[in-house]
Amino acid sequence: MNIHEFQARQILARHGIPVPEGEVARTPDEAARAAERFGGTVVVKAQVHVGGRGKAGGVKLAGSPAEARESAEAILGMEIKGLEVRQVLVAPAEDIVSEAYLGIVMDRANQADTIMVSSEGGVDIEEVAATMPEAIRKLAVDPRYGLLNHQAAALGHHLYDDPKVARQAAAIIAKLYEAYRASGATLAEINPLIVNPQGEVKAIDAKMNIDDNALFRSPEIAAFRDLEAENPAEARAREAELSYIQLDGNVACCVNGAGLAMATMDLVKYYGGEPANFLDIGGSSNPDKVVTALELITEDPKVTSILFNIFGGITRCDDVANGIVEATSRIEIKVPITIRLTGTNEELGVEILEENGFEAMVDMDKAVETAVQRGAGA
Ligand code: GDP
Ligand code: MN
């Protein structure tokens, strides 16, 4: 789950990381009032689930409440990487002497949480990573021991020469690691981590992704979910207990079980197609789920072919067949549907489908190849 900067800032602050205060505003007037309360120069920042807001014009300094109102007017309603800005964060602006990068990610290749630091922080960190990866220092944390004090100290000293500043950075790195672990995060980033003219180190931006499977441990973080800011189709899928991720291709896949869904997508690619989505309808036998799944799939204008690949275990083939029949009677489907069913109640499922004018296949390779060909207009 993605959370907003202002929410990530709350988590960091709770773990003792120095973060300037801030207030969320949904209208220009609210932004002006927040600026008035803080006094002096404030920064007005778009709250959307993507990075690169600064470069897109979504971060503006404002010297007065009137300017904060203008900045909020410009930023609210703006689209950044396809997401509409519905709220801004207003925070007292910091004077910046230097900008560093600090991030922790779950690095699956390394099988370890990996801390990354660079003194070349700020809005160009992607370019730094691409053109001079040696400017980013990495540390894979051994999960048996956690982050050791001397490791945090070494990272702090890598960022800053002044020992007083380096010690503050080391403490922040250790706290960020704690916050990351305690929240069940898969990513926690402070970019930039700044030093101000008083020599204080602070986080003035924060980004965190939380593992959905860790949310049950922290209801206060689960409550951060912002349905307005999410892909509406994916939010609806979650409500229906479907795992659905939109992709760029044209062959829609409707599958039961995550492993079979992955295998199906691989096979679509093998036969020269591109999957339009990952969709796991799960192990239950509920025709309504199939209806919702087909609704989601057909709302995606890229889809030119629909493939069902069902391996009946707990999921019963007849339930899926009934779901397909019901869904296609409710919604008009203009693209070809290819169905492969096997397993529990297969005969019954095939019978239901054939009675209703569908063709059912049993062989997975054949079905995927057919769906890919139909999608290409063959
Ligand atoms: P991002 O572009 O989405 O990562 O948004 P950031 O919050 O990182 O802001 C982008 C850039 O705006 C930062 O790298 C800073 O250079 C600048 N910026 C953000 N907040 C402040 C602030 O409080 N004071 C000053 N002087 N600059 C800021
Ligand atoms: Mn940033």
Side-chain angles (χ1 to χ4, degrees):
M1 180 178 83
N2 252 316
I3 64 174
H4 288 296
E5 174 193 2
F6 74 90
Q7 298 165 327
R9 281 175 171 233
Q10 288 171 20
I11 296 177
L12 300 195
R14 216 178 296 141
H15 282 87
I17 295 175
V19 180
E21 53 181 338
E23 223 174 84
V24 175
R26 299 184 69 94
T27 64
D29 278 344
E30 282 177 24
R33 274 199 296 278
E36 179 125 46
R37 194 171 77 74
F38 292 132
T41 303
V42 295
V43 59
V44 181
K45 312 180 70 177
Q47 298 297 290
V48 275
H49 288 162
V50 286
R53 296 161 304 164
K55 284 196 167 163
V59 177
K60 292 186 194 295
L61 291 174
S64 66
E67 264 183 62
R69 179 182 287 112
E70 276 170 33
S71 302
E73 252 160 25
I75 295 172
L76 288 164
M78 176 187 263
E79 256 199 22
I80 302 182
K81 296 181 187 163
L83 297 178
E84 188 189 337
V85 181
R86 296 169 193 267
Q87 44 192 357
V88 291
L89 174 69
V90 180
E94 287 288 328
D95 289 329
I96 299 175
V97 174
S98 69
E99 301 193 12
Y101 171 88
L102 164 60
I104 307 179
V105 288
M106 190 210 281
D107 182 347
R108 291 173 201 277
N110 250 327
Q111 301 187 354
D113 296 322
T114 298
I115 303 181
M116 296 173 293
V117 297
S118 175
S119 51
E120 308 292 319
V123 295
D124 288 322
I125 190 69
E126 273 82 15
E127 203 182 315
V128 173
T131 57
M132 37 176 196
E134 68 284 353
I136 300 175
R137 174 144 166 187
K138 294 187 184 182
L139 172 79
V141 180
D142 188 321
R144 290 170 298 184
Y145 313 123
L147 177 64
L148 302 174
N149 285 341
H150 76 272
Q151 294 175 317
L155 292 172
H157 282 281
H158 179 77
L159 286 180
Y160 305 111
D161 292 332
D162 181 339
K164 275 196 208 133
V165 177
R167 269 201 294 276
Q168 293 175 60
I172 291 173
I173 292 166
K175 286 170 182 163
L176 185 67
Y177 182 69
E178 269 173 40
Y180 169 97
R181 297 283 299 176
S183 316
T186 52
L187 174 135
E189 234 178 31
I190 299 175
N191 184 34
L193 180 72
I194 61 141
V195 181
N196 69 12
Q198 293 77 46
E200 295 166 335
V201 183
K202 292 189 185 183
I204 66 161
D205 187 15
K207 175 162 178 54
M208 289 180 90
N209 287 350
I210 312 293
D211 187 336
D212 280 334
N213 294 313
L215 289 175
F216 76 97
R217 293 196 314 216
S218 16
E220 74 288 359
I221 296 179
F224 281 159
R225 193 182 285 289
D226 180 358
L227 291 174
E228 268 187 359
E230 294 189 347
N231 176 325
E234 290 178 11
R236 223 165 90 216
R238 198 183 38 255
E239 254 162 52
E241 291 173 24
L242 301 164
S243 308
Y244 175 72
I245 309 287
Q246 255 176 26
L247 302 168
D248 295 329
N250 64 306
V251 180
C253 305
C254 187
V255 186
N256 68 315
L260 187 60
M262 298 300 284
T264 306
M265 289 162 63
D266 281 350
L267 215 51
V268 166
K269 287 190 96 93
Y270 176 80
Y271 283 111
E274 286 294 334
N277 62 275
F278 170 95
L279 173 55
D280 174 8
I281 60 168
S284 88
S285 299
N286 178 353
D288 279 346
K289 272 191 168 182
V290 180
V291 174
T292 310
L294 261 176
E295 281 172 359
L296 289 169
I297 283 174
T298 47
E299 279 164 23
D300 179 351
K302 300 187 303 294
V303 170
T304 59
S305 172
I306 298 173
L307 167 66
F308 275 85
N309 186 14
I310 303 298
F311 185 81
I314 296 169
T315 306
R316 290 167 25 193
C317 292
D318 55 323
D319 274 338
V320 175
N322 280 323
I324 294 172
V325 171
E326 195 179 323
T328 48
S329 72
R330 272 205 237 162
I331 39 181
E332 192 194 355
I333 293 177
K334 298 190 181 110
V335 299
I337 301 183
T338 308
I339 305 165
R340 180 253 183 169
L341 290 174
T342 188
T344 307
N345 290 3
E346 175 183 320
E347 294 79 7
L348 200 53
V350 171
E351 204 181 298
I352 293 167
L353 288 172
E354 286 178 347
E355 272 170 13
N356 287 279
F358 292 98
E359 178 194 356
M361 300 187 178
V362 180
D363 184 75
M364 173 156 156
D365 271 86
K366 192 85 201 87
V368 174
E369 194 178 3
T370 306
V372 170
Q373 283 169 358
R374 287 176 172 166

